Amino acid sequence: MRDQIAKYSGRLLSDRSAVPGRISFAAQDDVLLTDGDPELARLAGEVLFSLSCLGMVAALPSLPFADFLVRRAPAGETRIVPRDTETRTFLHDIPFLRREELGGDAAARIARLLGNRKGVIAEGLGIFANGPVTVEHAYINYSSVFHAVFVKYLLDVLAEGFLLPGEKEAFEGFRRDWLRPVSAEGLPFRSGPLEDPGEILAEIAAVGRYTVERGLVDSFFGNISCRAGGVVYISQTAASLDELPGRIDPVPMDNSSTTGITASSELLAHRRIYEASGARTILHGHPKFAVAMSMLCEEKDCPVKDCWKDCDRVRLLGDAPVVAGEIGAGGLAKRVPPVIASPRKAVVYGHGVFTVGRTDFAEAFRAMVALENWCREEYFRRLAEKFSG
Amino acid sequence: MNRLPATGWRGKLLHVDLGEGTARIEEIPREFLLRYLGGRGLGVRLLRETYALDPFHPSMPLIFAVGPLCGTAAPTAARLAAVSRSPLTGTVYDCSAGGRFAHRLKAAGFDALRIVGRSPRPVALAVTPEGAETLPAGDLWGKTVGETVRALEGRGSVAAIGPAGENRVLFACIMMGEGNAIGRGGLGAVMGGKNLKAVVVNGDRAVAVADPSRFDRARQDVMRLFRASPVIFGELGIAEFGTPALVDLMRQRRMAPTENFRRTVFEGSGNYSGPAIRKAYGSKKDGCFGCPIQCKKSTPDGMHLPEYETVSHFGALNGIDDLHAIVRSNALCNELGMDTISAAATLAAWGEGRGRFPVAEEVDRLVADIGYRRGEGDLLAQGSRRVAEAMGNPDLSMSVKSLELPAYDPRGAYGMALAYCTSNRGGCHLRAYPISHEILRKPVATDRFSFSGKARIIKIAEDANAAVDSLVACKFSFFGATLEEYAELLSATTGEEYGPQSLKEIGERIYLTERFYNCANGFDAGDDRLPARFFREPGSGGEGIEIPPIDEKRFEEELGKYYRIRGLTPQGTFSDPGFLEKLP
């Protein structure tokens, strides 16, 4: 498991979600292994030892948003509840421990919370996430918490402004130093239409990797497909988009084989998008600003409470339609296909972005980049408009 | 403060002694329910005084136990566990089954029905909130499951044995009225040994939920995860095609056991894939009472169609590609009341031993001969291990602890290889269910050709699934949901706080109790063995996938790790003979 720890330590660095030097992992087989920052590693090991899980990550996030959310939370509150779809679906909520609760036996307190949830914020120490099955599982849970916290903090700041000493400066530092331009520059794409299965698999693998490298996903999740003839080549469920070779399912459009039972949970959406749009490629990612902006709604006195699944309106982010809908068979596959054909892009409330290409992936990838950049600019424009002066 | 919560559990069991012709209602100690939940856990705990008895000893209990979620709207929770000792394996045995029977047992006011004794003549047992009544069943003895169910269903929900159970076929099932089976380990024979043809239950008492709004939120969370799962509600998933959706996948992964596990690819498997069955039979959704998934499939006129294990074992394992013959074999097993996996695997071992696998045209006769113990069926009724031994070639039996392996070749999934051996009920895929992560990529994918970490993963999954079997929920739920959401349902139902960690700790208690019983009955590491074939012969490689023999040394190393993680001795046993006394 040492190789897994090394791999996912490297990922926390490459995706810039944790502070270098403040990363630790623990894993238990018949012995307990710990690695990384000594203080965090000791805690991670103690926490893991008391849990029935294989892996654990404890790391200080590269952004202070988690701690800010804890400090912004009312006294007596014990958890934050991000409203993005990933959190609603998989995390439910994120419990936290304030700094003053971490004296004495911090490991026991963290373990108690992690016995019920996938990730915990320990103020000043970092995010602790468990991996019931693998070390990768722990990394995914860490990454999901990081993503959820990121999106919630953007929205909270836009709604309420800065409330804490040092918060504004830290946010400016985030914008200046942490954020990097999102672009498709320098990326080679094969020209379509793609017909040869070998070429299609290679291109899906390459574009999946671009999607992760250019920060258009949370952790490494999303999905990608290409249609050729009567077959949809689609990434498998729970596949790292930057490790797709061997993890792409060819699925007959006529459902004459069920080998694709391991395909992405969005297979149905992809199929319907192909049917509705005539596209040849589809890309689905979770770019953070698009996710955050999709959750802003100006509607007043709206009777819909669970906007993310029940809203039947089509709103716009620039020229991109925004629709509601849960993952998989939960509605997204019904609402996205009717709106995506013409703009060749669509945003799912609190979830992510679908873009399509008429012949190849270049168009889909560039559309996703452009949409995320538009959302980022629009976010900061609204923030400035609301709080300038 | 020692009162049982008024919600979730009933706190009562119905004890029936068929030998004495008596019945009484007993209080279940609160601690049993809190610490073993129900279903498998409760049943296993209730066996503590009798686990060493022979499975056919009159005093060996046959226990039907529901869980705290049964009777609520928790998805897939209208289930029960039947628990006893298996005559096939000699291990403690439980099997989970869905259907109205579980729901009505709870509605009759009981968490468990414990049956001991041997009736002097065939009887059926009628259970109502008032207690139990024995009904003469001489007229039903010899009848098929369907005939028996039809005769009794006016009184409520039926669990019945067929001729196989009456004749003590060692892999006889108890069949639920709607077609669900309490399968694999021969609890139908235990029931037959008690001269008990059927149990019929009725009741209408609702189950109260402690916190309805919390329950509704948790239920919505579960359903959301079901919808997000390609395996459950995906368009190629089990809700659409049933478990035969796995046929094409196992073929592609080159791990479909073929000709008694001599090969791992069967060229004719496309004839009985999910889409092929749908096309041939116009199959419609069917399934357990109250289950939103409805993974079972039936013909438009209501005939149950076979599951993945059944099509693969009556198909590839015996080299048969005739879908209609496979469907007939399945229907016949259901009517006779016997396990399709063990029946087909026993035929395959026998076929390899005699140098010819059965052809489609002779399978019906052979299956019937097993059920009625006629001719060569009398030997085949004892399962593949005893058949192989009788033929002088024990290696022909593809079983662990005498339980025939299901349709996942262990050379194609190393966690599965380990889990077959560590399973407390023998070669079963459902105890740790590593197919979930090694093949179906849920909740995350693991490398199916690696042993790294698998000992810990299997241990954790065994514990988690022991808790699931005690809630009782269907394992298929966990292709989408997790213990997190089910712990919420449990907490909301009972008013007691549970979480994933506390559920896994309960699961560990149950698992170790079972292991202790088995060890006390003579099992040890020598029984945690895969058939030699898997270490010596490769599977059917090709299409860029190699299926080499399993590295035996590496397997042993991982098994040793497993024992250490479990706190067992290197022999897989308990160093503390008083271990059980420390448990509640």
Side-chain angles (χ1 to χ4, degrees), chain A residues 4-22:
Chain A
Q4 292 290 297
I5 290 174
K7 175 178 176 179
Y8 290 101
S9 294
R11 277 197 177 263
L12 289 173
L13 293 173
S14 64
D15 67 17
R16 298 185 303 120
S17 63
V19 174
R22 298 304 308 278

Side-chain angles (χ1 to χ4, degrees), chain B residues 111-329:
Chain B
D111 293 317
L113 167 64
R114 181 173 60 199
I115 303 165
V116 299
R118 182 170 196 273
S119 170
R121 61 194 67 83
V123 292
L125 189 65
V127 174
T128 63
E130 287 69 45
E133 175 191 1
T134 52
L135 311 170
D139 292 351
L140 294 175
W141 207 251
K143 301 286 189 194
T144 64
V145 168
E147 290 166 339
T148 307
V149 169
R150 284 190 290 278
L152 293 171
E153 62 191 357
R155 283 178 169 268
S157 292
V158 182
I161 58 170
E166 298 169 14
N167 296 319
R168 299 195 190 187
V169 173
L170 295 188
F171 43 87
C173 298
I174 302 168
M175 301 295 295
M176 298 302 185
E178 298 97 327
N180 309 73
I182 294 170
R184 304 302 336 260
L187 296 194
V190 173
M191 189 158 150
K194 295 185 180 304
N195 257 339
L196 179 59
K197 179 66 178 176
V199 181
V200 54
V201 294
N202 213 347
D204 57 2
R205 297 180 181 180
V207 175
V209 168
D211 186 339
S213 62
R214 184 180 181 186
F215 184 93
D216 286 346
R217 281 196 303 276
R219 188 177 188 283
Q220 286 176 32
D221 287 341
V222 169
M223 291 305 299
R224 187 171 304 122
L225 287 160
F226 283 6
R227 289 190 289 269
S229 167
V231 182
I232 298 176
F233 279 136
E235 57 177 337
L236 303 175
I238 59 175
E240 285 296 320
F241 290 99
T243 53
L246 295 175
V247 170
D248 290 331
L249 186 64
M250 292 301 136
R251 160 67 182 82
Q252 194 277 334
R253 299 295 194 267
R254 307 189 77 85
M255 54 180 289
T258 302
E259 294 176 353
N260 202 32
F261 291 84
R262 291 198 304 203
R263 299 191 293 123
T264 58
V265 170
F266 182 52
E267 291 73 13
S269 66
N271 288 1
Y272 51 76
S273 69
I277 294 174
R278 173 183 280 186
K279 188 175 176 188
Y281 288 94
S283 49
K284 65 182 179 62
K285 289 187 179 183
D286 196 353
C288 300
F289 171 69
C291 174
I293 302 173
Q294 297 291 288
C295 72
K296 296 188 188 307
K297 300 294 163 248
S298 297
T299 60
D301 61 0
M303 181 180 71
H304 296 298
L305 291 163
E307 303 271 359
Y308 164 67
E309 312 292 341
T310 306
V311 292
S312 190
H313 269 12
F314 273 113
L317 202 69
N318 283 286
I320 292 171
D321 62 4
D322 180 339
L323 172 60
H324 301 301
I326 293 168
V327 169
R328 280 200 312 275
S329 301

Side-chain angles (χ1 to χ4, degrees), chain A residues 243-267:
Chain A
E243 292 180 354
L244 285 180
R247 299 180 181 92
I248 299 164
D249 283 333
V251 181
M253 286 284 277
D254 64 0
N255 280 349
S256 56
S257 163
T258 52
T259 305
I261 191 174
T262 52
S264 163
S265 54
E266 303 303 357
L267 170 64

